[in-house]
Amino acid sequence: EDQVTQSPEALRLQEGESSSLNCSYTVSGLRGLFWYRQDPGKGPEFLFTLYSAGEEKEKERLKATLTKKESFLHITAPKPEDSATYLCARARGSQGNLIFGKGTKLSVKP
Amino acid sequence: NAGVTQTPKFQVLKTGQSMTLQCAQDMNHEYMSWYRQDPGMGLRLIHYSVGAGITDQGEVPNGYNVSRSTTEDFPLRLLSAAPSQTSVYFCASTPLVDSPLHFGNGTRLTVT
């Protein structure tokens, strides 16, 4: 069965304390691995797409990496405004939609 | 551009009532989809469309109908609401198969 598994479910950090979120997937022929940020009461907001193992993308304090089995979202020196739920997803065949993990809820305390 | 617009933002229904959740996008995207989001379950695909006139079922289609008569609009219909359909519903669109989805801000539905 196609799966996207995220860990941990929740992560509490102090401001400035760097960490990583994990996303593992079970599919051959990955057609794209996506990271989203979701704030309470809002729709998911796109962050990154990764298409091949070894690929990396960065945006401010966030860096996404991809291997053949998993992706990491590294958060460097986080700030309270980085608090959100981070969602990982992979492309579902040629249907133009995604299979999502259950998310990691990140809380950054000042 | 407004992006993906969902209406209403909030809705309360009684068991057995029907309603339509509206979704419109102004980006000329071919692919559209409906998800529901429940605590501990993540986002689950209800129905999707690969173009005007073409729809198909996702993971959790029971109790929901869709149609796609235009590229812009993709309404989701609940024919007879049940408490199990209490959820937050998101509509999304994308121009290409492997491109990121653009999401609306959701409709929070409560069925009593």
Side-chain angles (χ1 to χ4, degrees):
Chain A
E1 181 181 324
D2 298 332
Q3 291 275 9
V4 176
T5 304
Q6 292 188 245
S7 61
E9 290 184 15
L11 182 61
R12 303 180 77 167
L13 300 174
Q14 289 295 124
E15 184 172 2
E17 179 186 3
S18 301
S19 187
S20 297
L21 282 55
N22 178 263
C23 172
S24 62
Y25 59 91
T26 55
V27 68
S28 59
L30 183 71
R31 298 186 63 160
L33 191 290
F34 301 81
W35 284 98
Y36 285 83
R37 170 190 171 125
Q38 186 175 24
D39 293 299
K42 296 292 183 78
E45 176 188 346
F46 170 71
L47 292 173
F48 304 109
T49 308
L50 303 166
Y51 289 104
S52 55
E55 190 174 357
E56 299 182 352
K57 290 194 176 171
E58 288 188 69
K59 179 181 179 181
E60 296 181 358
R61 295 175 293 282
L62 300 177
K63 179 180 176 180
T65 61
L66 183 66
T67 72
K68 289 186 177 180
K69 294 183 178 180
E70 57 193 350
S71 177
F72 293 93
L73 185 65
H74 306 278
I75 303 175
T76 302
K79 298 183 177 182
E81 52 263 41
D82 294 321
S83 296
T85 296
Y86 290 86
L87 303 173
C88 172
R90 68 160 185 85
R92 184 194 306 262
S94 59
Q95 301 170 3
N97 53 69
L98 304 177
I99 299 173
F100 283 86
K102 295 181 180 179
T104 293
K105 184 175 182 179
L106 174 66
S107 299
V108 182
K109 302 299 182 185
Chain B
N1 288 346
V4 178
T5 303
Q6 291 185 239
T7 55
K9 292 186 187 301
F10 301 95
Q11 183 70 49
V12 179
L13 290 178
K14 294 186 187 301
T15 297
Q17 287 184 320
S18 62
M19 80 159 295
T20 299
L21 280 64
Q22 301 292 345
C23 174
Q25 52 94 6
D26 61 358
M27 299 171 283
N28 202 34
H29 287 175
E30 285 297 315
Y31 300 89
M32 297 187 74
S33 47
W34 277 102
Y35 290 85
R36 59 178 289 174
Q37 188 173 39
D38 303 290
M41 300 296 292
L43 283 157
R44 293 181 292 169
L45 182 67
I46 305 172
H47 285 286
Y48 66 96
S49 170
V50 300
I54 306 170
T55 64
D56 206 344
Q57 297 180 351
E59 297 174 68
V60 288
N62 292 341
Y64 307 96
N65 281 350
V66 292
S67 60
R68 183 107 180 263
S69 56
T70 68
T71 298
E72 294 77 20
D73 299 300
F74 191 40
L76 179 71
R77 298 184 187 85
L78 285 70
L79 297 179
S80 179
S84 60
Q85 294 178 305
T86 294
S87 188
V88 182
Y89 292 85
F90 288 101
C91 179
S93 72
T94 186
L96 299 170
V97 167
D98 298 334
S99 295
L101 297 182
H102 300 251
F103 281 87
N105 276 325
T107 294
R108 183 174 293 273
L109 175 67
T110 302
V111 183
T112 61

